[in-house]
């Protein structure tokens, strides 16, 4: 096995993971795709001059194939489908750089409404800056066709994505106040923090109890959150969810859910809650060690 290839793969691995995760919204599947790309590189016939470029194209193609095959399964998914969250301690700057708002929960939710080709074109060109000639190589279309795909996707994302607060201190201040209001079961304080058009999505995957449909409007969302709070005894820990302030709910040392907030103009515009145990498996492995 080529040592130089190994070195370049190790250097590119986090970028490859971020690309695959952006296309898939599934960290476990992204890791599998990146590993498969590496195996294909190791078995490539003949020399590979641009190893990183080769890996980016191979990873993107594999991720596109997976998301195409997963589309039908996601359409039959029980309740809202949310991306697998990437959770890190608040004081971990590495994950904020690697998985910041460029692949945040709010964006990934919107990307689910795109076609696989549109999603891939958007992630590769708009998020990671690949030229249209390279994106065309991935999706199997001409550069001109890919430009149109990316343009449609960009407009769709712009129309549907909230313009979230980018100041980490302001994000955390709102998140802290949100947690305090929930834990204190303070309806008035919670309503003051929620955007009137706030939407709450809860992903249980049909495995555990969760809202089958999005909950919309400040009053309904606030009462839903306080109802959940009244039933549980979970401990809440502030964490970064895809590089943005959020919460990890623990019961007996085990993750019960991950809460991601989208803050717009000082208010919470979206609450995304992942409670599907399958999507919390890597939280056990990566976040709790050493805590």
């Amino acid at each position: 096995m080529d040592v130089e290839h190994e070195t370049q793969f190790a250097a590119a691995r986090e970028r490859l993971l971020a690309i695959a995760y952006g296309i898939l919204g599934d960290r476990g599947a992204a890791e599998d795709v990146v590993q498969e790309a590496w195996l294909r590189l190791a078995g490539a016939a003949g020399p590979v001059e641009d190893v990183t470029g080769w890996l980016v194209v191979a990873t993107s193609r594999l991720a596109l194939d997976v998301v195409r095959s997963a589309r039908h399964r996601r359409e039959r998914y029980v309740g809202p489908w949310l991306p697998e969250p990437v959770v890190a301690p608040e004081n971990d700057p590495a994950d904020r750089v690697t998985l910041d708002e460029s692949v945040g929960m709010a964006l990934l939710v919107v990307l689910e409404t795109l076609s696989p080709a549109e999603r891939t074109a958007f992630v590769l060109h708009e998020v990671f800056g690949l030229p249209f000639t390279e994106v065309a190589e991935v999706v199997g279309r001409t550069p001109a066709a890919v430009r149109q795909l990316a343009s449609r996707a960009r407009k769709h994302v712009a129309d549907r994505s909230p313009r979230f607060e980018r100041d980490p201190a302001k994000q955390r201040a709102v998140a802290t106040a949100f947690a305090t209001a929930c834990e204190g079961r303070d309806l008035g304080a919670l309503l003051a923090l929620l955007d009137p058009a706030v939407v709450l999505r809860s992903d249980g995957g049909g495995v555990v109890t969760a809202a089958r449909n999005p909950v919309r409007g400040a009053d309904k969302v606030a009462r839903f959150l306080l109802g959940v709070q009244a039933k549980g005894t979970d401990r809440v820990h502030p964490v970064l969810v895809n590089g943005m302030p959020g919460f990890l709910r623990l019961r007996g040392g085990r993750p019960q859910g991950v809460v991601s907030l989208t803050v717009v103009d000082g208010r919470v515009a979206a609450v995304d809650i992942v409670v599907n145990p399958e999507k919390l498996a890597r939280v056990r492995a990566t976040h709790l060690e050493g805590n």
Side-chain angles (χ1 to χ4, degrees), residues 30 43 87 109 126 143 152 168 188 210 221 244 261-262 278:
V87 177
V109 168
E126 301 296 328
R152 287 201 304 269
V221 168
M244 308 281 277
L261 303 179
T262 301
E278 294 179 2

Side-chain angles (χ1 to χ4, degrees), residues 23-24 33 40 58-71 116 120 138:
I23 295 172
L24 294 166
V33 159
R40 293 191 180 192
T59 296
S60 302
R61 282 177 172 169
L62 288 165
L64 177 57
D65 288 343
V66 172
V67 82
R68 280 172 172 159
S69 66
R71 194 169 183 83
T120 302
V138 172

Side-chain angles (χ1 to χ4, degrees), residues 117-118 120-122 125-126 130-137 139-155:
E118 288 173 336
T120 302
F122 181 89
H125 181 70
E126 301 296 328
L130 267 67
F132 288 123
T133 51
E134 291 185 27
V135 181
E137 189 178 351
V139 300
R141 304 193 189 187
T142 66
V146 168
R147 187 184 297 274
Q148 291 182 334
L149 277 176
S151 177
R152 287 201 304 269
R154 183 169 58 250
K155 183 179 185 306

Side-chain angles (χ1 to χ4, degrees), residues 45-222:
V48 177
E49 294 184 6
D50 180 3
V51 172
T52 299
W54 192 98
L55 285 167
V56 166
V57 171
T59 296
S60 302
R61 282 177 172 169
L62 288 165
L64 177 57
D65 288 343
V66 172
V67 82
R68 280 172 172 159
S69 66
R71 194 169 183 83
H72 182 61
R73 294 196 303 274
R74 290 183 185 179
E75 288 172 352
R76 295 184 297 161
Y77 195 80
V78 178
W81 186 95
L82 291 175
E84 178 186 347
V86 177
V87 177
E90 279 193 298
N91 59 357
D92 184 348
D95 273 60
R96 176 171 284 276
V97 173
T98 304
L99 284 165
D100 62 7
E101 64 269 11
S102 64
V103 284
M105 292 289 282
L107 174 60
L108 289 170
V109 168
V110 176
L111 292 184
E112 275 298 303
T113 63
L114 299 176
S115 71
E118 288 173 336
R119 177 172 185 156
T120 302
F122 181 89
V123 169
L124 294 180
H125 181 70
E126 301 296 328
V127 178
F128 293 98
L130 267 67
F132 288 123
T133 51
E134 291 185 27
V135 181
E137 189 178 351
V138 172
V139 300
R141 304 193 189 187
T142 66
V146 168
R147 187 184 297 274
Q148 291 182 334
L149 277 176
S151 177
R152 287 201 304 269
R154 183 169 58 250
K155 183 179 185 306
H156 185 89
V157 170
D159 289 344
R160 297 198 179 196
S161 294
R163 303 187 185 281
F164 56 85
E165 174 61 61
R166 293 183 179 272
D167 185 329
K170 292 180 179 178
Q171 292 173 9
R172 173 47 60 201
V174 174
T176 300
F178 175 90
T180 300
C182 287
E183 291 176 339
R185 302 179 191 176
D186 188 334
L187 179 61
L190 190 53
L191 286 171
L193 289 166
L194 297 177
D195 185 277
V198 63
V199 58
L200 179 148
R201 291 170 287 257
S202 181
D203 179 347
V207 180
V208 296
T209 302
R212 292 293 183 93
N213 297 297
V215 181
R216 301 181 185 277
D219 186 70
K220 289 182 179 180
V221 168

Side-chain angles (χ1 to χ4, degrees), residues 25-29 73 77 81-85 203-208 255-258 274-285:
D26 184 323
R27 184 63 182 246
R73 294 196 303 274
Y77 195 80
W81 186 95
L82 291 175
E84 178 186 347
D203 179 347
V207 180
V208 296
Q256 300 300 306
V258 172
V274 177
V275 291
N276 184 343
E278 294 179 2
K279 296 183 180 182
L280 300 177
R282 265 159 290 278
V283 176
R284 295 187 183 93

